[in-house]
Amino acid sequence: MNTPIHAHAPKDAPKYVYRFGAQGTEGGAGMKNVLGGKGANLAEMCRLGLPVPAGFTISTEACALSTRDGAGVLLAAIEAEVRSGLAHIEAEMGKRFGDANDPLLLSVRSGARASMPGMMDTILNLGLNDAAVIGLGRKAGNERFAWDAYRRFIQMYGDVVMGLKPASKEDSDPFEVVIDRVKAHKGVKLDTDLDAADLQELVQGFKALIRARIGRDFPTDPWEQLRGAVLAVFESWHNERAVVYRQLNDIPESWGTAVNVQAMVFGNRGEHSATGVAFSRDAGTGEDLFNGEFLVNAQGEDVVAGIRTPQQITLIGSRRWAELAQVDEVERQARYPSLEELMPTIFQALLQAETLLENHFKDMQDMEFTIQEGKLWMLQTRNGKRTGAAMVRIAMEMLAQGLIDEPTALLRVTPDRLNDLLHPVFEPAALQAARPIARGLPASPGAATGQVVFFADEAEAWAKGERGDGRADGRADGRAVILVRQETSPEDLRGMSVAQGILTARGGMTSHAAVVARGMGKCCISGAGAVQVDLKARTMRIGALTWHEGDWISLNGSTGEVFDGRIPTRAVFESDLSGDLAALMALADRHRRLAVRANADTPQDALVARRLGATGIGLCRTEHMFFQGDRIRAVREMILADDEAGRRKALAQLLPMQRSDFDGLFRAMAGLPVTIRLLDPPLHEFLPHDEAGQQAMARQMRLPIAQIRQRVEALHEFNPMLGHRGCRLGISFPEITEMQARAVFEAALNVQAEGLAVEPEVMIPLVGTLREFSLQADLVHRVAAQVFAEQGAKVAYRVGSMIETPRAALVADRIAQGAEFFSFGTNDLTQMTLGFSRDDAGSFLPAYLHHGIYEHDPFRSIDQEGVGQLVALAARQGRATRPDLSLGVCGEHGGDPASITFFHRAGLDYVSCSPFRVPIARLAAAQAAVIEASSE
Ligand code: ADP
Ligand code: MG
Ligand code: MG
C-alpha cells in the first residue's frame, strides 16, 4: 500500500496520472482525495490481487486545474502522463489504442471522493470508428457485438461529450427515436432482435443525427475521442444533477472528480459473458447474505436500466426472487437460473472476491463485475449505500462478528438515518409505480398519503369524519388528510396534528411547519416552490396540472418528493424493530457524555420522548397549551382586558388548565427534570388577523368587532421577533408569570404528594440583563414560597435563564449570579447574532449557501464560528461564577448531529430536541464522544 508514488515523476512537475493493473499500481484506498473513491478502490483491488482491467486515474487535482485554468491548460498538463498511462494499458492488455485490426477500447469513468451514484457520466467502448469496428468484429468472430458496441459508444459520446440531449424533459431521447424507427421498420420490439446489419444502420442514423443537430461530424480519431471524453467527465462535475446531489449531501464543490480511463472488458460477447452488480450484505435489511443481479450477454448499465429482467447471483437469492415474482421452480431454472447454477466456477471466484473485499474494507461492499468469455473482471467496489435499518443491523452484526470495534460500530450509523426506522414507510412496490409531481425540502421524515385539504379547521373536520369522500387508511373514524398551505402558523396546530402530512409552498427547514412537524414526528415537506395554492378556488396547481380539495396525494418527507395519488403506507412499530436498534442505543448510552432531553409540550409527547430514551424535558413551550380547546378564549380575554383586574380574572380561568397540563407532564416524566418556559411569543399571535376570524371571535365573546380590530392594531409590531415578547411580557404583566409559576408549583406538589419524584425547572426566556432575569426570578421564588406555605409542603426546584440574546451570552457571568441553569435558545441566538430573521431568510439563504458565505443553513446546523463562540463564552463565564451551573440547549440545533458534536466539545450537560430526534441525538452524542476519545 505504501509504494512511493512519486518515484518516477519528474521532481518539479505535479503528478496527475496514477496507474493501476496487475502490475505497477500506484494508488490505493487511502488516496480517495486524489483518486476519487472509484479510482482509489480500483487500485486497492489490484493490490489485493483481484482481476481488474488495467487503467489509470487522472486526479481530482486535474479537475481543479481545469476548473481554474480551462481545458487547454489541463490537456497540456496531462498529455505526457496520459500517453505513458496508455502505454501501460496497452502493454498489460496486449492491444493497441487506435489499432484498426484489434483495437484497445477504453471506458472513461468519473469518480469523486464521495460516491455520487449515477450523478456523473461514463463513456464505454471509446476508440471505435468505422475501421476499428470491422477489426473488432473480425477478431471477436462476432460482428453483431462489434456494431452493438459501436452504436452504444456513439450514443454515449453523442450525449455526454457532444451534448445531443432531448430538447426538453418532455421530449424523448433523440437516439431512442432513431432506434425506435429502425425497430419499427424491421417490425421488432427488443434491442436484442436487431442484427449486425440493423445495428450498422443505427450507427449511420446516429451519425447523421449528430451531423444534423450538432453541425459537426462524430470524431473518428481515437485520441480526439479520448480528449473529448476526459474533458466532458471533468465537466460533468458541474452538471445540474451533480450540483443538486452535492447540495443535498453536503459535498463541497471544491473536491472535484477524478477520471478513470480503463481497458474495456465485454459482458456482451455471447452466452459465456455477463455483467452484474453484487452486495456483500443486503442493503435493504442488512442481512448478512451475499446477493446481487446479473444479465447474460449484456453491457454496462443494462442491469440497472431494466430493459431485461436480471437474474439473481445466488441460488438462495434466486429462489426468494422467484417466490416474490411468482415464477415457479421449473421456469426459474430454465429462464432465470442463478449465477451459482449457471457459471459455478465464476460464482466461486466472485464469492471469494466479495469475502476478501468485505474483510479488507470491514464494511458492506457494493461491487460491479463483468464476465468476458468465462473470465471474471472486477470493475468497482465501494462501501454500499444502505437504508437506516441496514446501517444499524450491519454495524451491530459486524461488531458481534469481531470485524469492527465499538467506536467504529457507532460511527457506522448516520444518526439522521435512524429516522427511517421510526417513521411510517411507503409500500415499496406501490412507490415504484408512483409519479412524482413536485419537490420541496425534506422537512420532516416519514411517508404520508391523504386527501388534500387547504384549511386547518377543515383538516380537523375531515379527520373527525365530518366531511370528505374517501376512507382513511386504517382509520375507522375519519379521513386521512394532507394539509396543504402556503405556510403554517400556530393557529394551524391542531389541523397539523390530525393531518397525515403537511405540505407548504413556502418556508425552509426551520419554518413553523417544519419545526412543528418534526416535533410531532409528522411527515412534512416545506418550501415546495412549484406548488401554487389558490385558497379561493380550493386548488393546488403545479405547472399545468390542478388538484382539488379531496384529491389524493402522497408525501415522502425523507426525500421531499410529492406524489400524485394514494400510495399505501405501513407503520413501523417499535415491535418491528430488530433488537439491533435497542442494542445500538445501549451502546451509544455507554459511550456518550451528553444527556439528551426532549422538547415536549404535552404528556403524550413526553411519553413518546421517554420511550425513545429522553431523560428529561428541556423545553416545554407553555403557549402551545394556550391554543387547545376553549383555552384560547380565556387567553384572548386576558389580552383584551383593559386593566390588571381584568387580566387576573382571565388568568384565573387559565390556572387550572395550566396546572393540569403540568400535572400530566410531571407524571409522564416522574423522576426526571422538566424545564418549563414562561410565556414567550408576542400576544398578537393569539388573535385572529383575518376578517372572518375576527368576526367569529367577536360573536363568541359577545364584543363589538371594532374592539377586537383595535386591539389587533394596537398589538401590531413592525418587528415582532424583537418586540414585546419573552420576559418582556412578564415584566409588563407580572400577573402572567405569577399564574404560570403557581400552576407549576401546585402541580408539582400534587404529583409529589402521590409519591412521584418531581423536578421542576422554571425558565425565563429572552433575558438580556441580570436585573431583567432577577425581576422575574424573584417573582417565581415568591410564588413558590406562597404555594409552599399554603400547602404546607415543599418541592425542590430551580429557576434558570435562557441564553438567546447575544447580550445574555456576553454577560453570562453576571446572569449566573441569579440563574441556576442556562438553556441556550440557539434559534433566537442565531437570528439575533446573524441578524437574519429565520422566517424571512428563505429569500436570500440559498444564494448565501451557493456562494459559500455560510457552509450550512445556520438554522439547521449551528454556526460554530460565530454563534458557537457565544455559546462557548457563556458556558465558560457562567461556570466561572457558578461551577455547578447546569448547561443545556433547547433550540432546534439540539437535534442536529453536527451541532451536537459542537455542544459536546463546548462542555454542555445536555441537548434537548424533538421527541422523535431523541435516538438520533443519543447516537450523535456518542459519536462526538468517541471522536473526541480517538483524537486524544
Ligand atoms: P457509475 O459511477 O454511474 O456506476 P461507472 O463508471 O461505474 O458509473 O460505469 C457504469 C458502468 O459501466 C459500470 O457498471 C460497468 O458495468 C460499465 N463499465 C465501466 N467501466 C467498464 C470497463 N472497463 N469494462 C466494461 N464495462 C465497464
Ligand atoms: Mg459504477
Ligand atoms: Mg426563543
Side-chain angles (χ1 to χ4, degrees):
M1 229 209 258
N2 297 316
T3 312
I5 48 183
H6 289 278
H8 71 287
K11 287 239 156 27
D12 42 355
K15 180 172 172 66
Y16 290 115
V17 170
Y18 297 80
R19 302 166 182 193
F20 59 84
Q23 260 124 42
T25 296
E26 296 174 302
M31 293 178 62
K32 291 208 166 62
N33 295 359
V34 181
L35 302 180
K38 200 181 289 170
N41 282 358
L42 282 168
E44 192 73 8
M45 284 198 289
C46 293
R47 287 176 185 275
L48 291 170
L50 290 170
V52 174
F56 57 84
T57 305
I58 311 176
S59 75
T60 55
E61 280 148 20
C63 184
L65 179 70
S66 109
T67 306
R68 197 176 62 230
D69 295 342
V73 171
L74 169 79
L75 289 177
I78 61 175
E79 166 93 28
E81 281 186 275
V82 165
R83 284 198 183 267
S84 95
L86 249 160
H88 153 73
I89 302 179
E90 289 175 336
E92 208 156 288
M93 304 307 285
K95 291 179 195 296
R96 306 261 327 275
F97 188 53
D99 179 348
N101 293 318
D102 183 14
L104 170 68
L105 301 187
L106 300 174
S107 80
V108 179
R109 329 165 59 184
S110 63
R113 214 193 280 190
S115 90
M116 300 167 57
M119 287 305 122
M120 289 177 296
D121 294 316
T122 298
I123 294 157
L124 303 181
N125 308 329
L126 186 139
L128 280 174
N129 52 32
D130 293 351
V133 69
I134 309 287
L136 182 70
R138 198 182 306 130
K139 187 81 191 171
N142 184 341
E143 249 187 273
R144 187 192 182 279
F145 149 73
W147 284 102
D148 189 43
Y150 195 19
R151 71 95 188 167
R152 285 171 189 265
F153 171 47
I154 300 177
Q155 212 172 332
M156 283 186 257
Y157 196 94
D159 168 6
V160 176
V161 184
M162 305 188 81
L164 184 46
K165 312 228 182 241
S168 75
K169 72 172 190 294
E170 289 80 22
D171 277 329
S172 346
D173 181 273
F175 293 107
E176 293 299 331
V177 173
V178 179
I179 296 178
D180 288 342
R181 197 175 63 216
V182 172
K183 278 197 239 168
H185 185 228
K186 193 169 185 203
V188 297
K189 279 224 169 72
L190 294 174
D191 292 11
T192 40
D193 293 331
L194 299 175
D195 61 23
D198 304 323
L199 293 165
Q200 191 167 354
E201 188 185 332
L202 265 190
V203 164
Q204 302 315 330
F206 285 175
K207 287 209 236 164
L209 177 73
I210 287 175
R211 198 175 309 118
R213 290 274 297 272
I214 308 287
R216 259 186 300 138
D217 277 326
F218 185 80
T220 52
D221 170 24
W223 281 98
E224 187 187 339
Q225 294 171 354
L226 182 58
R227 279 191 293 272
V230 167
L231 289 179
V233 172
F234 276 138
E235 236 351 90
S236 72
W237 177 251
H238 301 289
N239 76 30
E240 202 187 311
R241 254 180 317 165
V243 170
V244 170
Y245 186 90
R246 283 203 290 280
Q247 277 166 1
L248 291 176
N249 293 278
D250 270 340
I251 298 174
E253 188 105 16
S254 62
W255 281 5
T257 182
V259 175
N260 299 290
V261 176
Q262 184 183 32
M264 281 298 301
V265 289
F266 300 99
N268 52 344
R269 281 283 298 269
E271 293 308 305
H272 300 286
S273 301
T275 184
V277 289
F279 300 86
S280 65
R281 300 188 185 216
D282 190 310
T285 64
E287 185 181 0
D288 185 3
L289 189 71
F290 179 46
N291 66 98
E293 297 181 331
F294 73 103
L295 276 178
V296 174
N297 198 10
Q299 185 174 44
E301 312 284 31
D302 290 359
V303 177
V304 225
I307 309 167
R308 281 153 58 194
T309 307
Q311 291 154 243
Q312 301 299 308
I313 290 180
T314 63
L315 180 55
I316 169 167
S318 184
R319 293 212 163 115
R320 285 187 188 181
W321 166 84
E323 202 175 310
L324 285 172
Q326 298 187 304
V327 169
D328 67 41
E329 180 62 14
V330 176
E331 187 187 356
R332 187 194 70 75
Q333 284 181 16
R335 294 186 54 200
Y336 306 105
S338 64
L339 189 71
E340 191 170 353
E341 295 158 285
L342 199 63
M343 305 181 188
T345 325
I346 299 269
F347 172 77
Q348 285 307 326
L350 189 60
L351 190 62
Q352 271 172 23
E354 74 89 21
T355 310
L356 178 69
L357 287 169
E358 184 178 284
N359 287 336
H360 181 70
F361 288 104
K362 301 193 186 328
D363 199 355
M364 187 260 277
Q365 294 301 296
D366 163 355
M367 295 150 289
E368 295 174 1
F369 63 91
T370 279
I371 299 160
Q372 177 174 338
E373 295 181 290
K375 173 162 173 46
L376 173 69
W377 294 94
M378 298 303 291
L379 294 177
Q380 187 171 339
T381 192
R382 64 179 168 218
N383 297 336
K385 304 248 180 238
R386 63 204 79 170
T387 63
M391 263 183 198
V392 173
R393 178 164 176 184
I394 291 172
M396 295 317 288
E397 288 188 356
M398 285 194 163
L399 175 65
Q401 291 162 349
L403 270 172
I404 56 178
D405 59 10
E406 290 188 355
T408 308
L410 286 167
L411 293 170
R412 280 289 163 80
V413 180
T414 309
D416 273 316
R417 297 302 299 279
L418 294 180
N419 273 324
D420 301 11
L421 287 85
L422 299 167
H423 289 277
V425 292
F426 286 123
E427 295 287 357
L431 186 60
Q432 289 261 310
R435 185 164 66 98
I437 50 176
R439 195 175 260 285
L441 299 170
S444 182
T449 192
Q451 291 174 277
V452 172
V453 174
F454 297 100
F455 300 92
D457 56 340
E458 298 188 14
E460 278 187 76
W462 286 50
K464 284 196 199 123
E466 291 163 14
R467 289 191 48 191
D469 53 15
R471 288 222 64 83
D473 273 354
R475 306 165 51 131
D477 54 339
R479 319 291 171 209
V481 300
I482 304 276
L483 179 63
V484 179
R485 302 282 302 161
Q486 191 72 12
E487 57 203 349
T488 62
S489 76
E491 288 168 63
D492 298 332
L493 220 58
R494 284 207 293 172
M496 294 169 77
S497 74
V498 298
Q500 305 295 306
I502 298 144
L503 170 64
T504 68
R506 297 223 326 237
M509 291 292 285
T510 56
S511 64
H512 179 266
V515 173
V516 171
R518 283 199 292 274
M520 293 174 170
K522 188 169 298 274
C523 169
C524 173
I525 296 175
S526 63
V531 174
Q532 288 180 292
V533 179
D534 185 337
L535 293 178
K536 285 224 175 61
R538 291 170 182 261
T539 59
M540 154 180 112
R541 274 191 324 176
I542 300 172
L545 300 174
T546 302
W547 284 259
H548 294 89
E549 185 176 83
D551 289 344
W552 285 82
I553 62 169
S554 302
L555 310 179
N556 185 342
S558 315
T559 61
E561 286 167 301
V562 184
F563 296 94
D564 184 24
R566 180 177 187 169
I567 311 176
T569 60
R570 83 186 149 73
V572 177
F573 296 108
E574 275 207 318
S575 52
D576 285 354
L577 302 177
S578 63
D580 293 320
L581 180 60
L584 176 73
M585 285 296 118
L587 186 63
D589 293 346
R590 261 195 283 124
H591 283 264
R592 72 191 160 100
R593 198 202 66 225
L594 275 175
V596 177
R597 299 193 191 179
N599 298 349
D601 309 326
T602 64
Q604 297 90 292
D605 285 355
L607 285 171
V608 171
R610 198 166 188 169
R611 221 180 56 211
L612 294 174
T615 49
I617 289 181
L619 173 64
C620 162
R621 303 175 184 86
T622 48
E623 64 271 13
H624 276 192
M625 303 162 168
F626 285 9
F627 283 98
Q628 287 165 17
D630 41 340
R631 295 164 187 210
I632 188 69
R633 185 174 166 168
V635 173
R636 286 171 173 175
E637 273 176 32
M638 191 245 323
I639 297 172
L640 289 175
D642 296 320
D643 53 14
E644 188 187 323
R647 275 192 299 277
R648 283 194 184 275
K649 208 171 127 226
L651 286 165
Q653 294 177 52
L654 278 171
L655 175 66
M657 305 183 206
Q658 284 253 284
R659 188 171 52 221
S660 80
D661 291 331
F662 297 145
D663 196 279
L665 273 183
F666 291 144
R667 260 171 234 284
M669 299 305 285
L672 300 172
V674 175
T675 309
I676 292 164
R677 179 178 70 183
L678 298 178
L679 188 65
D680 184 54
L683 294 180
H684 74 80
E685 278 194 14
F686 300 101
L687 297 180
H689 288 94
D690 58 320
E691 178 72 22
Q694 291 176 0
Q695 256 162 18
M697 178 175 161
R699 237 177 294 122
Q700 198 194 25
M701 302 184 68
R702 296 173 213 284
L703 285 173
I705 184 159
Q707 193 180 335
I708 291 166
R709 248 185 239 135
Q710 199 187 17
R711 197 77 189 114
V712 169
E713 272 159 35
L715 286 173
H716 172 79
E717 291 178 315
F718 288 103
N719 195 342
M721 176 192 110
L722 301 174
H724 199 174
R725 54 170 290 222
C727 61
R728 296 157 207 171
L729 291 169
I731 304 268
S732 312
F733 311 116
E735 54 277 10
I736 300 180
T737 302
E738 270 175 44
M739 181 280 287
Q740 293 202 292
R742 178 167 279 278
V744 168
F745 294 117
E746 288 183 356
L749 286 181
N750 283 350
V751 175
Q752 187 177 257
E754 288 173 30
L756 297 173
V758 202
E759 251 187 82
E761 299 183 333
V762 178
M763 178 157 83
I764 321 279
L766 222 68
V767 164
T769 82
L770 173 61
R771 175 97 181 118
E772 201 178 22
F773 173 82
S774 300
L775 275 173
Q776 289 289 292
D778 291 349
L779 199 57
V780 173
H781 290 306
R782 201 159 62 233
V783 172
Q786 262 169 28
V787 174
F788 296 166
E790 285 162 21
Q791 308 220 354
K794 278 187 179 172
V795 63
Y797 69 96
R798 297 199 284 186
V799 182
S801 177
M802 287 196 72
I803 302 293
E804 54 182 338
T805 68
R807 192 181 197 285
L810 295 169
V811 302
D813 52 341
R814 312 210 53 211
I815 293 175
Q817 289 168 17
E820 295 165 287
F821 65 87
F822 282 174
S823 177
F824 290 95
T826 51
N827 296 343
D828 268 308
L829 191 59
T830 299
Q831 296 201 89
M832 294 192 213
T833 304
L834 272 56
F836 289 3
S837 151
R838 100 169 132 154
D839 300 310
D840 302 313
S843 56
F844 56 85
L845 206 51
Y848 268 55
L849 297 176
H850 175 77
H851 290 297
I853 298 171
Y854 286 94
E855 222 174 291
H856 311 281
D857 178 346
F859 293 109
R860 181 171 59 81
S861 195
I862 195 160
D863 157 39
Q864 300 188 11
E865 185 184 64
V867 178
Q869 277 199 50
L870 287 174
V871 172
L873 173 80
R876 224 172 30 243
Q877 305 266 54
R879 284 229 172 103
T881 300
R882 190 189 286 265
D884 64 344
L885 184 74
S886 138
L887 299 171
V889 170
C890 64
E892 278 285 300
H893 300 101
D896 169 61
S899 308
I900 290 170
T901 306
F902 173 80
F903 297 136
H904 171 92
R905 287 201 310 260
L908 304 198
D909 297 306
Y910 70 87
V911 295
S912 187
C913 58
S914 317
F916 284 97
R917 292 197 74 82
V918 167
I920 294 170
R922 287 160 73 194
L923 176 59
Q927 292 185 345
V930 302
I931 289 169
E932 188 181 62
S934 76
S935 66
E936 267 159 13

